[in-house]
Amino acid sequence: MKDVTQLTEGWSLSHDGARLAARVPGCVHTDLLAASVIPDPFLGTNENDIAWAGRRSWTYTHPFGTAGALAGEHERTDLVFEGLDTAARVTLGGRELGSTRNMHRSYRFDVTGLDGELRVEFASAYDEAAAVREAVGERPNVYPEPFQYIRKMASSFGWDWGPTVVTAGMWRPVRLEHWSTARIARVRPLVTVDGGAGRVELRIDLERTARGTDRPLVAHATVAGTEARADVRGDAVTLVLDVPDVRLWWPRGYGEQPLYDVDLTLLSDGSALDSWHRRAGFRTVELDHSADEHGTGFTFVVNGERVFVRGVNWIPDDVLPSRITPERYRTRLTQAADANIDLIRIWGGGIYEDEAFYDACDELGLMVWQDFLFACSAYPEEQPLRGEIEAEARENVVRLMPHPSLVVWNGNNENLWGFRDWEWEDKLAGDSWGEGYYLGLLPRVVAELDPTRPYTAGSPWSGSWDHHPNDPDHGTYHSWEVWNRQDYTEYRANVPRFVSEFGWQAPPAMATLRRALPGEELAPDSPGMLHHQKAEDGNGKLNRGVARHFALPEGDFDRWHYLTQVVQARAVATGIEHWRANWPRCAGTIVWQLNDCWPVSSWSAVDGDGRLKPLHHELRRVYADRLLTLQPGAEGPELVLANQGAEPWTTTVTLRLMRTDGTLAARVPLGLTAPPREVLRLPVPPEAVPATGSAKEYLVADADELRAVHLPVRDQEFDYPEPRYEITVQTVGGDRDTVDVTVTARTLVRDLLLQADRIAPDASADRGLTTLLPGERTTIRVHGAGGAGANTVRAALFCVEPA
């Protein structure tokens, strides 16, 4: 049987004549941090002080002679690098094994019989990119960094939410594989289902030693009690396993996620030489691009069920991706599932994530939209990049295709749009820019290797050059004009077929800011805050977003922080409520973004320290199966019940026309039923509609513990009463660390928010923004707040106040 030796320990990193202890997986920055050579780049403005590390070459060494103890028992020893970041030269005992120039693929070298010192010499990513740029010529880019010339995580070079931390190192595991006769080189599993019957077709490629060339072998596979066996004479064989009565894998909210173990063993004379194991799920997935009176659709259909996608965009969870553990993946993806999210889009400026990411998605029912790794730039199609890109695509398509959660391959992020709208065409003057990848190479690779999944050329993409790439009436759409230039109410101006990016910024939690900016007197424009705001005019857009609805606080950072959180949550909710109300014309939204890679003001719902912003709680509400919302209509407000559940939603909606003095002007109960997977929309009865332009009336709709509020004017024009409420704090049972905070309103209390991390850095509340009418109460459970008294809790409570 093949033996594997992990090369985790024993590595050294050369630095200024010394050898520092190094860990693999890891990178230069993690090793320099461990040796106290550099400060934490996430704190203050330290990012500037460590920039030199990304511009140097680095060498890792390992005393390889002690690592080959098992080699004598086998015919062959391979040295396998699962990920080298990025341009590296590998030598063993002074003999060059090879060179690499791609972070996104693995490398294998035959080291049979070799010994001596193992050296991995990394060139500066900037030097590698400069050499490629010199060879292929200049290409336009949205950022002044050379990421389109090197197959490396583009966001290493910074983004409008990320720091510039240009890494180098062995960011994924390194191992020795000792084997004899033959090994399993590649398995391409095609998993299909027809009716109640499933099929697993394993297309297997082998590699043989010289002595194993003519040896008869046997491939044996099992899944769900079904077996298949075949004699192998050459280097390839196909096994087909038909599985009756399979249970279907469903996205969360539509059914369960059964997974089946698929095991393959390669044998010689009855003895196992190698094995392969994955889990499979049986489901069908397609994209419906049908034309209709509105344009061209973009609707996911899973197991025959049309799905309104409730998605979020994902960026690398750490700018030093070797630090992301399986436990961290699980935590972050569970946070997504807790917000009723059912799809994660892996954005094209990051990485193909570790297996642990996709395993968690398989189990949690989170569909995965996988970008190929191209973002916001014109990419040369000449060598040496073209060959690397094809090899990278082929490896990762095969690596990821066992996962039922993976539902679509996407060619790029915003590059087709960029060619049309970002003044690239004249600058390119006929040079290649990536179109051949997105409309040629990549769809061919997917069709050849993974025909069970759809491919789309880009995000956004209208389906052909017959329409503008970001036409809301055709295909996928990115909505960024609203954040950049408009009020969030402008999300209601159109009904795109599928919104694959939109979002609004807010700062991270206060505890995150205090950790990241130690000792700083916080202000929107304080040095650390500005350094941790990477978006162009980011604070200006934040301030304008607040000022359109509220009085912009002057000199009150706490108030500013609260209002930016409110506006972020409201903005995203406004878009989703409008687009969900227009299902099936609009078939999904993917919010930018779920997570952060460091502590930063950004569009995320979970900040760089893993704390939940109010946006996360708002996503849980607007992405729930049942959504109650009030939408503006041509003749006045409309009541919308969006039911994504499998059962009819029969309820009584209570409409109340309220006055700001706390009195009730009208009460209208409505018995309604929203059919499964459908939207019910009807006008609000006239007696419940506030007077046009009234600053003293508002409409409230309630049903099944859901609430929607409609004001006829903006908040700054509304006659809010001075908020009055009472609080009590009570320890929960014997758990001294958990308290219940009960708030009783004596007036209208709009968007009440308990920022639990202000009580204690690790404290968390079970809800976000809450609106209470006079006399109502709510209880907020807070974990990690043991010993907190009423005064401490009150200081962490915020709500909307009169202008």
Side-chain angles (χ1 to χ4, degrees):
M1 187 69 170
K2 178 175 71 178
D3 289 305
V4 175
T5 304
Q6 298 292 338
L7 294 187
T8 301
E9 307 289 342
W11 290 93
S12 299
L13 172 66
S14 300
H15 173 63
D16 289 349
R19 289 195 172 189
L20 307 178
R23 290 281 297 178
V24 174
C27 71
V28 166
H29 291 81
T30 56
D31 294 329
L32 295 178
L33 277 167
S36 300
V37 174
I38 61 172
D40 187 340
F42 289 4
L43 303 185
T45 59
N46 289 345
E47 173 197 351
N48 298 331
D49 299 329
I50 58 92
W52 58 269
R55 295 187 174 274
R56 288 182 48 167
S57 59
W58 297 93
T59 298
Y60 284 87
T61 57
H62 188 281
F64 185 79
T66 63
L70 294 171
E73 302 176 16
H74 294 276
E75 298 172 51
R76 173 85 172 261
T77 299
D78 289 345
L79 174 63
V80 181
F81 295 94
E82 289 192 22
L84 291 170
D85 174 19
T86 293
R89 177 175 175 264
V90 183
T91 61
L92 178 56
R95 174 178 174 176
E96 182 166 341
L97 300 179
S99 59
T100 73
R101 60 195 331 154
N102 195 328
M103 178 182 181
H104 307 304
R105 53 179 294 209
S106 62
Y107 294 90
R108 177 181 294 265
F109 303 106
D110 182 353
V111 295
T112 307
L114 300 182
D115 213 332
E117 184 179 65
L118 174 61
R119 294 173 63 86
V120 185
E121 301 168 359
F122 289 95
S124 160
Y126 284 102
D127 291 344
E128 167 71 8
V132 173
R133 175 161 46 191
E134 180 68 23
V136 302
E138 193 75 25
R139 298 295 193 283
N141 183 338
V142 296
Y143 296 111
E145 294 283 348
F147 58 81
Q148 73 266 49
Y149 304 106
I150 183 170
R151 293 312 295 162
K152 175 177 173 57
M153 185 174 90
S155 54
S156 290
F157 292 94
W159 220 262
D160 57 4
W161 36 257
T164 300
V165 181
V166 181
T167 50
M170 289 162 280
W171 73 291
R172 280 183 168 157
V174 182
R175 65 181 181 272
L176 292 172
E177 291 187 2
H178 312 284
W179 56 281
S180 299
T181 306
R183 71 176 185 90
I184 299 170
R186 186 179 80 162
V187 180
R188 184 161 64 90
L190 294 173
V191 180
T192 56
V193 59
D194 184 6
R199 169 170 287 191
V200 179
E201 186 176 313
L202 301 178
R203 301 194 176 185
I204 306 158
D205 295 326
L206 308 179
E207 183 181 10
R208 294 174 181 257
T209 63
R211 282 189 283 177
T213 300
D214 297 322
R215 290 279 295 273
L217 306 174
V218 172
H220 176 258
T222 63
V223 57
T226 299
E227 297 185 55
R229 177 183 294 263
D231 295 329
V232 188
R233 294 292 178 181
D235 296 330
V237 68
T238 298
L239 295 179
V240 177
L241 299 101
D242 289 311
V243 187
D245 302 322
V246 295
R247 297 166 58 218
L248 295 179
W249 184 97
W250 288 94
R252 62 180 295 104
Y254 286 81
E256 297 180 344
Q257 295 79 42
L259 298 169
Y260 293 81
D261 290 314
V262 183
D263 289 288
L264 169 67
T265 305
L266 181 67
L267 304 108
S268 176
D269 296 328
S271 297
L273 299 175
D274 201 356
S275 63
W276 177 93
H277 169 81
R278 294 291 187 276
R279 292 184 304 174
F282 294 93
R283 56 102 185 95
T284 63
V285 59
E286 58 184 309
L287 278 172
D288 184 353
H289 299 286
S290 299
D292 57 26
E293 68 274 21
H294 305 296
T296 309
F298 191 93
T299 304
F300 282 89
V301 184
V302 180
N303 299 329
E305 185 81 55
R306 301 174 70 81
V307 173
F308 180 94
V309 165
R310 297 168 280 189
V312 286
N313 283 273
W314 171 276
I315 63 171
D317 204 51
D318 197 321
V319 75
L320 307 178
S322 62
R323 299 198 298 196
I324 307 172
T325 62
E327 293 75 21
R328 183 160 157 185
Y329 277 129
R330 177 74 58 166
T331 296
R332 202 68 70 241
L333 292 168
T334 299
Q335 289 171 327
D338 288 345
N340 293 314
I341 288 158
D342 61 19
L343 181 142
I344 308 285
R345 176 190 170 213
I346 300 177
W347 167 76
I351 57 176
Y352 304 100
E353 299 289 345
D354 186 78
E355 291 293 330
F357 177 97
Y358 304 93
D359 286 342
C361 290
D362 290 344
E363 295 166 14
L364 293 169
L366 294 169
M367 296 180 286
V368 175
W369 166 316
Q370 177 69 61
D371 279 15
F372 287 102
L373 300 184
F374 304 89
C376 302
S377 182
Y379 284 80
E381 296 177 38
E382 292 78 24
Q383 298 292 10
L385 292 175
R386 185 178 184 85
E388 286 293 339
I389 284 165
E390 180 166 359
E392 165 195 321
R394 288 182 173 278
E395 177 174 335
N396 284 286
V397 166
V398 172
R399 178 173 76 90
L400 301 180
M401 61 188 290
H403 295 281
S405 56
L406 180 58
V407 295
V408 66
W409 293 100
N410 176 54
N412 75 90
N413 177 76
E414 297 190 343
N415 295 343
L416 295 159
W417 181 18
F419 178 77
R420 177 58 57 86
D421 272 4
W422 299 348
E423 300 179 355
W424 289 3
E425 198 162 357
D426 291 340
K427 295 176 184 177
L428 286 165
D431 288 338
S432 66
W433 57 275
E435 182 182 29
Y437 297 142
Y438 319 134
L439 300 179
L441 172 66
L442 296 175
R444 286 199 302 271
V445 168
V446 172
E448 174 194 340
L449 298 178
D450 188 15
T452 67
R453 287 180 179 85
Y455 170 88
T456 185
S459 182
W461 180 233
S462 59
S464 78
W465 288 113
D466 292 339
H467 307 287
H468 187 281
N470 199 33
D471 187 331
D473 293 330
H474 301 275
T476 52
Y477 178 69
H478 288 193
S479 179
W480 285 117
E481 281 299 294
V482 175
W483 156 253
N484 285 324
R485 296 174 180 84
Q486 300 170 342
D487 181 52
Y488 64 73
T489 57
E490 293 301 313
Y491 284 130
R492 302 187 184 116
N494 62 16
V495 182
R497 307 313 303 267
F498 191 103
V499 187
S500 47
E501 277 190 23
F502 81 107
W504 204 274
Q505 267 203 358
M510 283 296 296
T512 300
L513 288 174
R514 292 189 180 112
R515 187 194 69 80
L517 306 175
E520 179 163 312
E521 184 175 345
L522 296 175
D525 58 354
S526 59
M529 285 294 295
L530 290 178
H531 187 78
H532 288 247
Q533 166 61 274
K534 295 297 187 178
E536 182 181 359
D537 190 29
N539 273 14
K541 294 170 185 176
L542 279 174
N543 289 340
R544 289 190 291 275
V546 170
R548 292 183 184 109
H549 295 267
F550 304 99
L552 188 65
E554 298 290 342
D556 187 345
F557 182 77
D558 288 343
R559 193 78 196 155
W560 178 86
H561 183 271
Y562 161 74
L563 289 176
T564 55
Q565 302 286 339
V566 169
V567 172
Q568 182 190 36
R570 283 199 194 176
V572 172
T574 296
I576 293 174
E577 289 181 357
H578 167 65
W579 293 320
R580 275 194 72 177
N582 282 280
W583 161 259
R585 179 175 173 182
C586 178
T589 58
I590 309 181
V591 176
W592 188 271
Q593 67 212 60
L594 174 68
N595 59 326
D596 276 324
C597 65
W598 76 314
V600 64
S601 293
S602 85
W603 299 264
S604 70
V606 181
D607 78 13
D609 280 5
R611 294 185 174 93
L612 306 182
K613 295 183 184 179
L615 172 59
H616 182 275
H617 296 281
E618 197 69 353
L619 287 176
R620 185 171 61 188
R621 179 183 72 84
V622 296
Y623 273 164
D625 279 354
R626 295 175 174 180
L627 172 66
L628 176 72
T629 178
L630 292 163
Q631 293 291 306
E635 304 299 325
E638 296 180 347
L639 176 66
V640 179
L641 278 69
N643 179 20
Q644 211 158 335
E647 302 297 328
W649 179 15
T650 299
T651 188
T652 297
V653 179
T654 301
L655 297 171
R656 279 180 284 180
L657 179 61
M658 299 292 299
R659 302 186 185 98
T660 54
D661 64 4
T663 58
L664 176 69
R667 182 179 184 275
V668 181
L670 299 173
L672 301 172
T673 297
R677 319 290 194 205
E678 290 189 17
V679 171
L680 177 67
R681 187 168 189 155
L682 65 160
V684 171
E687 60 269 31
V689 176
T692 302
S694 173
K696 295 182 178 293
E697 292 183 330
Y698 60 101
L699 173 63
V700 180
D702 291 294
D704 298 338
E705 300 184 357
L706 304 178
R707 168 164 287 176
V709 178
H710 167 75
L711 272 59
V713 295
R714 296 192 180 189
D715 290 79
Q716 59 184 278
E717 302 161 1
F718 189 68
D719 187 24
Y720 277 107
E722 194 70 36
R724 290 186 295 109
Y725 53 84
E726 299 157 3
I727 66 169
T728 60
V729 180
Q730 183 174 4
T731 300
V732 177
D735 183 0
R736 296 185 177 181
D737 203 40
T738 301
V739 298
D740 278 347
V741 177
T742 299
V743 179
T744 303
R746 298 308 176 195
T747 62
L748 169 65
V749 177
R750 184 82 192 277
D751 286 337
L752 178 75
L753 177 66
L754 175 56
Q755 295 189 5
D757 63 287
R758 290 175 178 265
I759 301 172
D762 294 331
S764 62
D766 69 349
R767 68 192 59 198
L769 302 173
T770 303
T771 292
L772 298 175
L773 304 184
E776 292 183 337
R777 67 177 57 185
T778 189
T779 298
I780 306 167
R781 179 153 292 183
V782 184
H783 299 282
N791 290 337
T792 301
V793 171
R794 184 175 286 276
L797 277 168
F798 296 82
C799 66
V800 173
E801 297 178 355

